[in-house]
Amino acid sequence: MLSLNTIFRFILLLLSIIGLNAQEGSSEISLQNIITDRKKYDEYIINRSQGLHEITGFKQNDSTVGIILVHGFYPADWRSKGFEWAEPIKNFSKAGLPMWLYRYDWNQCPSITAMQINSDLATLLEKNKHLESLIIIGHSFGGLIVTLFSESWESTFPINAHAIASGLAKSKFDRKYLNCENPKKPKYDISKYVEYKQWRTIKDQDGIFKRLNNDPQVVTFINGKTTLLPKRWKSTRVGHNFSILVVSDIILSDLQKNK
């Protein structure tokens, strides 16, 4: 009978192969093709194969720091999948850093996706030895995946992780997973090699969380920090999706200060 350790290693190997195939079949995302008008948006950002997709079409001033963007969950009838990333992607491009979108199957167990990211990032770093650190940013369901990834990252390579407007605690509205248990929990133990920050929206003005009795963003972190986003940002109400643009502004400002 195979040991759990052997099974785990086999799964990682399998995921690595899957990740490599996904990346080989992936295409670049051109900044010029991203539409920021919701009425004209064509789901260009999200309609692609699974894996890492490099975002091109802007001048890169520094190639030592990379940015990875992890999208959220989309219901089958959602008509503007990925649109919430259009403006933030253009905003992040101002930093002049190499940038990738991580496209995954949102119907898959988030713990499995977190393992895939772990494996795919190892492959990315092997191919891009000029990188000295990575900023990985997940929104909503993607933030849960980034958080699970942040617990499991064992490499000494430095990761700066951000989870935006993410339900990390269990709630009665959580989806039912066919092949795994709900991975949400009250406490997360972040890897010592990850600098982790959770960005919470104000529950009562977040369209996803306001119907819940308790705020699913409220959890405890070991080796992690939490920041509560403001009610408004540049005269605009900060809701579930707009929170990405707010955080992109803050991260961009920090990057420009540290140049």
Side-chain angles (χ1 to χ4, degrees):
M1 183 175 181
L2 295 176
S3 67
L4 289 176
N5 187 52
T6 301
I7 295 172
F8 180 75
R9 289 179 180 276
F10 175 78
I11 291 173
L12 281 180
L13 177 61
L14 180 61
L15 290 176
S16 178
I17 294 171
I18 293 172
L20 282 170
N21 289 337
Q23 289 181 51
E24 289 173 357
S26 67
S27 59
E28 296 178 348
I29 299 174
S30 173
L31 198 68
Q32 286 70 32
N33 292 336
I34 295 177
I35 298 171
T36 55
D37 183 340
R38 183 181 289 275
K39 293 180 179 179
K40 298 179 180 179
Y41 178 69
D42 55 1
E43 297 191 353
Y44 170 72
I45 293 173
I46 211 70
N47 280 346
R48 53 195 65 254
S49 61
Q50 294 179 45
L52 285 162
H53 298 261
E54 185 173 8
I55 299 169
T56 63
F58 63 96
K59 183 179 180 181
Q60 294 184 14
N61 303 315
D62 182 358
S63 61
T64 61
V65 181
I67 299 177
I68 309 292
L69 308 175
V70 184
H71 61 80
F73 168 83
Y74 301 105
D77 59 350
W78 198 259
R79 296 183 179 179
S80 55
K81 297 179 180 70
F83 178 75
E84 69 276 11
W85 285 99
E87 287 288 358
I89 287 174
K90 289 181 179 289
N91 207 24
F92 277 127
S93 70
K94 298 174 185 176
L97 304 177
M99 180 165 44
W100 293 264
L101 174 80
Y102 193 83
R103 170 67 163 87
Y104 65 93
D105 179 0
W106 50 82
N107 293 310
Q108 179 177 258
C109 300
S111 54
I112 296 296
T113 303
M115 291 171 63
Q116 284 181 312
I117 291 180
N118 199 311
S119 176
D120 289 348
L121 289 192
T123 302
L124 178 73
L125 295 176
E126 183 63 28
K127 293 181 177 180
N128 296 270
K129 294 186 180 297
H130 55 276
L131 290 172
E132 297 177 1
S133 64
L134 283 175
I135 301 169
I136 180 167
I137 303 162
H139 173 249
S140 195
F141 190 68
L144 170 62
I145 291 168
V146 167
T147 304
L148 296 172
F149 157 82
S150 297
E151 288 191 301
S152 64
W153 184 249
E154 296 181 349
S155 168
T156 58
F157 186 90
I159 299 287
N160 191 317
H162 301 264
I164 309 169
S166 300
L168 303 179
K170 291 181 180 180
S171 78
K172 64 180 181 179
F173 290 104
D174 286 339
R175 292 187 296 120
K176 303 296 183 184
Y177 298 101
L178 296 178
N179 300 312
C180 64
E181 294 182 359
N182 188 334
K184 297 181 179 181
K185 52 191 178 182
K187 181 185 291 186
Y188 293 83
D189 190 353
I190 307 299
S191 165
K192 63 181 178 180
Y193 302 116
V194 176
E195 185 177 339
Y196 176 95
K197 178 174 281 189
Q198 178 202 36
W199 300 87
R200 293 180 188 168
T201 54
I202 296 173
K203 173 184 174 296
D204 291 340
Q205 65 179 44
D206 186 306
I208 302 298
F209 303 140
K210 64 182 182 181
R211 60 179 178 167
L212 303 177
N213 292 329
N214 298 312
D215 189 346
Q217 301 172 99
V218 178
V219 294
T220 300
F221 296 103
I222 298 174
N223 193 36
K225 297 180 180 179
T226 294
T227 294
L228 180 65
L229 292 168
K231 289 184 177 181
R232 304 187 72 80
W233 184 262
K234 297 180 179 178
S235 74
T236 301
R237 174 182 171 276
V238 179
H240 191 73
N241 285 343
F242 186 69
S243 61
I244 309 174
L245 188 59
V246 175
V247 174
S248 73
D249 271 352
I250 296 171
I251 293 176
L252 181 61
S253 177
D254 289 343
L255 287 170
Q256 291 172 337
K257 287 178 183 177
N258 293 328
K259 279 186 177 181

